[in-house]
């Protein structure tokens, strides 16, 4: 069996590698020649523990190679971004473009799968596109939707062991997709229809967004009341049926920070709580930026000089290099824009360089800083000691003390 993965990003590349590791011949397609070249050399272009060794292995044994164009295969998987446009309207143009790229290669009996997070009805819409262009495939092509549900930093394990929801446009498509994924997924494969599978993915991340919004809202309340939110949540979670998450500086990533909009854009009247949770989490990042700016102003008034400020972390979650929709990146940018003459040190230990920010070593930045702003709970930061001689704004629970 040969599988063609359209997209070699944070999900497409790991899934392609895992499939190749389990005996499937894989061609990974990406429109970025640099990613294709790096992949074919066995060089990983993302940060994911253990994945670099697996990539080198499957490239070396010929199980996986990358290309800028599709190749005739038995299975075609759309694993491309689905950003939003304008007023948070879902943009499925990448999925459509990838679909059009594989159209000439499709043949009777093949399996076409969308893994990209998509608005409800996208799979059926792509099926209509395919059959309009290739009417001879009507009734002869299997089409399904199968979203990933993995945690960056633990992708290798979760791609194999997590359950998957698989929804075909008909029963035969669902079974065909189950047969494919059963080759490398040990978790249970739950059959349904494509629209339910699409909404299931959006529901999972909207639920997480709402739970995080509750924690973030508590942090705003506690700040105003002079209460340590970390202690409050720890005590509240002593209740046997309460499990409040930890607050942060917002919500990022290409799933939780994006997927709720796919629901609220299509069902604006019905999705009140989902939309409000998004507003809370977006506001938390703005609030954090204002807290930093106010701390800088107080320091300048008290010490008659501008402070050295260390912005600790750019990634949207700990121990990865992914900056997509990152509230930490937003906060850092906002603080820098409002203080062009200030000495601001930007830290992201999972990146060697960044095209916008000049990066500083985390220990050096912390030592030099008058104000240390912890935005992402990277493991390196947890080795740093509390310093009473610094103003520390801990938005991610490194020290779990009450912010000044």
């Amino acid at each position: 069996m040969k599988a063609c993965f359209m997209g070699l990003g944070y999900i497409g590349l790991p899934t392609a590698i895992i499939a190749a590791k389990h005996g499937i011949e894989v061609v990974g397609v990406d429109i970025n020649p640099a990613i294709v070249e790096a992949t074919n050399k066995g060089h990983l272009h993302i940060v994911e523990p253990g994945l670099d060794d697996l990539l080198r292995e499957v490239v070396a044994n010929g199980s996986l190679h990358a290309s800028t164009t599709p190749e005739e295969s038995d299975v075609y998987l759309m694993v491309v971004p689905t950003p939003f446009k304008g007023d948070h309207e879902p943009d499925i143009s990448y999925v459509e473009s990838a679909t059009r790229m594989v159209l000439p290669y499709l043949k009777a009996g093949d399996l076409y799968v969308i893994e990209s997070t998509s608005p409800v009805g996208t799979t059926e819409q792509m099926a209509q596109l395919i059959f309009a262009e290739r009417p001879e495939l009507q009734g002869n092509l299997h089409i399904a939707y199968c979203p990933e549900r993995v945690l960056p930093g633990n992708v290798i394990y979760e791609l194999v062991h997590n359950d998957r929801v698989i929804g075909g446009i008909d029963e035969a498509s669902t079974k065909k997709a189950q047969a494919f994924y059963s080759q490398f997924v040990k978790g249970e494969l739950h059959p349904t229809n494509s629209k339910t599978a699409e909404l299931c993915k959006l529901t999972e991340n909207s639920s997480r967004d709402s739970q995080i919004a509750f924690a973030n809202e508590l942090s705003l309340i506690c700040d105003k009341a002079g209460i340590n939110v970390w202690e409050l949540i720890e005590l509240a979670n002593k209740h046997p049926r309460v499990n409040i998450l930890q607050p942060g500086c917002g919500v990022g990533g290409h799933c939780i920070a994006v997927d709720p909009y796919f629901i609220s854009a299509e069902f604006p009247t019905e999705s009140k709580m989902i939309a409000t949770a998004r507003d809370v989490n977006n506001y938390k990042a703005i609030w954090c930026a204002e807290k930093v700016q106010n701390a800088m102003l107080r320091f300048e008034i008290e010490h008659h000089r501008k402070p050295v400020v260390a912005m600790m972390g750019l990634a949207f979650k700990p121990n990865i290099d992914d900056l997509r929709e990152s509230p930490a990146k937003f906060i850092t940018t906002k603080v820098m824009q409002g203080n062009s003459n200030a000495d601001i040190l930007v830290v992201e230990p999972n990146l060697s360089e960044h095209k916008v920010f000049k990066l500083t070593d985390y220990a050096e930045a912390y030592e030099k800083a008058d104000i240390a702003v912890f935005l992402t709970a990277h493991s390196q930061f947890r080795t740093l000691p509390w310093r009473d001689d610094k103003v520390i704004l801990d938005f991610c629970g490194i020290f779990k003390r009450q912010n000044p």
Side-chain angles (χ1 to χ4, degrees), residues 247-391:
C249 63
V251 173
H254 194 61
C255 290
I256 299 178
V258 175
D259 294 3
Y261 290 121
F262 285 41
I263 296 178
S264 60
E266 191 169 356
F267 308 99
T269 304
E270 297 81 4
S271 57
K272 300 299 185 189
M273 192 182 81
I274 292 172
T276 299
R278 272 285 72 228
D279 291 341
V280 169
N281 287 329
N282 284 338
Y283 173 70
K284 182 62 187 293
I286 297 170
W287 181 87
C288 288
E290 291 175 348
K291 291 284 284 187
V292 177
Q293 291 166 336
N294 289 338
M296 293 171 69
L297 182 60
R298 283 197 302 272
F299 184 95
E300 187 172 356
I301 292 172
E302 293 173 7
H303 298 273
H304 309 292
R305 67 174 177 87
K306 290 186 178 294
V308 177
V309 182
M311 305 298 290
M312 307 291 283
L314 288 175
F316 79 84
K317 69 180 293 291
N319 305 323
I320 63 171
D321 69 336
D322 195 343
L323 272 56
R324 291 178 297 175
E325 307 300 326
S326 171
K329 179 183 174 184
F330 168 83
I331 293 164
T332 299
T333 302
K334 194 169 181 64
V335 169
M336 294 182 75
Q337 287 174 342
N339 296 276
S340 56
N341 296 322
D343 191 359
I344 298 175
L345 307 177
V346 180
V347 175
E348 179 43 67
N350 294 294
L351 291 176
S352 58
E353 60 181 4
H354 190 273
K355 61 183 180 181
V356 174
F357 303 107
K358 178 184 177 182
L359 301 179
T360 303
D361 174 76
Y362 73 97
E364 177 187 346
Y366 188 58
E367 180 63 32
K368 291 181 177 179
D370 299 303
I371 301 174
V373 183
F374 288 93
L375 300 169
T376 311
H378 292 310
S379 56
Q380 295 94 328
F381 299 165
R382 297 190 182 279
T383 66
L384 298 171
W386 177 271
R387 294 275 296 270
D388 288 323
D389 60 330
K390 300 180 184 297
V391 175

Side-chain angles (χ1 to χ4, degrees), residues 3-6 15 74-80 95 98-99 102 106 110-116 118 122-123 126 130 141-148 164-169 173-181 184 194 197-198:
C4 177
F5 283 79
M6 301 296 293
T15 310
D74 305 296
V75 182
Y76 300 85
L77 299 103
M78 308 300 108
V79 203
V80 294
V95 174
T99 301
V102 304
L106 297 173
D110 284 351
L111 173 64
Y112 165 96
V113 180
I114 300 176
E115 286 202 1
S116 305
S118 303
T122 300
T123 306
M126 290 303 107
I130 292 170
L141 182 69
H142 301 95
I143 299 177
Y145 181 78
C146 181
E148 53 75 25
R164 298 291 286 263
V165 174
I166 299 178
I169 60 170
S173 294
T174 303
K175 290 181 177 178
K176 183 83 169 181
Q178 283 181 295
F180 170 72
Y181 282 99
F184 59 91
S194 61
E198 289 163 342

Side-chain angles (χ1 to χ4, degrees), residues 73-278:
S73 304
D74 305 296
V75 182
Y76 300 85
L77 299 103
M78 308 300 108
V79 203
V80 294
T82 46
F84 43 70
K85 56 188 177 182
D87 189 23
H88 295 122
E89 289 288 329
D91 181 4
I92 61 170
S93 62
Y94 291 83
V95 174
E96 181 176 340
S97 178
T99 301
R100 291 189 181 277
M101 286 180 70
V102 304
L103 266 176
Y105 301 90
L106 297 173
K107 59 186 184 299
D110 284 351
L111 173 64
Y112 165 96
V113 180
I114 300 176
E115 286 202 1
S116 305
T117 304
S118 303
V120 176
T122 300
T123 306
E124 292 180 349
Q125 187 176 336
M126 290 303 107
Q128 293 171 3
L129 184 156
I130 292 170
F131 296 142
E133 297 288 334
R134 299 285 305 280
E136 76 279 9
L137 293 175
Q138 182 92 41
N140 297 311
L141 182 69
H142 301 95
I143 299 177
Y145 181 78
C146 181
E148 53 75 25
R149 38 162 68 141
V150 296
L151 184 70
N154 196 34
V155 166
I156 294 175
Y157 179 86
E158 296 203 353
L159 273 174
V160 174
H161 293 89
N162 285 0
D163 289 6
R164 298 291 286 263
V165 174
I166 299 178
I169 60 170
D170 51 40
E171 187 176 354
S173 294
T174 303
K175 290 181 177 178
K176 183 83 169 181
Q178 283 181 295
F180 170 72
Y181 282 99
S182 67
Q183 295 177 87
F184 59 91
V185 175
K186 294 181 180 178
E188 189 172 347
L189 304 175
H190 303 276
T192 185
N193 58 73
S194 61
K195 290 175 70 174
T196 301
E198 289 163 342
L199 187 55
C200 183
K201 168 67 173 179
L202 303 178
T203 298
E204 291 165 5
N205 286 323
S206 296
S207 173
R208 291 275 294 166
D209 196 43
S210 297
Q211 292 167 341
I212 296 170
F214 183 78
N216 279 337
E217 192 165 274
L218 276 181
S219 72
L220 302 177
I221 294 169
C222 286
D223 181 78
K224 194 165 189 177
I227 294 170
N228 185 329
V229 67
W230 313 103
E231 180 187 4
L232 173 71
I233 290 175
E234 182 181 357
L235 292 173
N237 283 346
K238 300 296 183 184
H239 189 292
R241 289 171 295 280
V242 173
N243 184 24
I244 303 168
L245 301 181
Q246 300 295 292
C249 63
V251 173
H254 194 61
C255 290
I256 299 178
V258 175
D259 294 3
Y261 290 121
F262 285 41
I263 296 178
S264 60
E266 191 169 356
F267 308 99
T269 304
E270 297 81 4
S271 57
K272 300 299 185 189
M273 192 182 81
I274 292 172
T276 299
R278 272 285 72 228

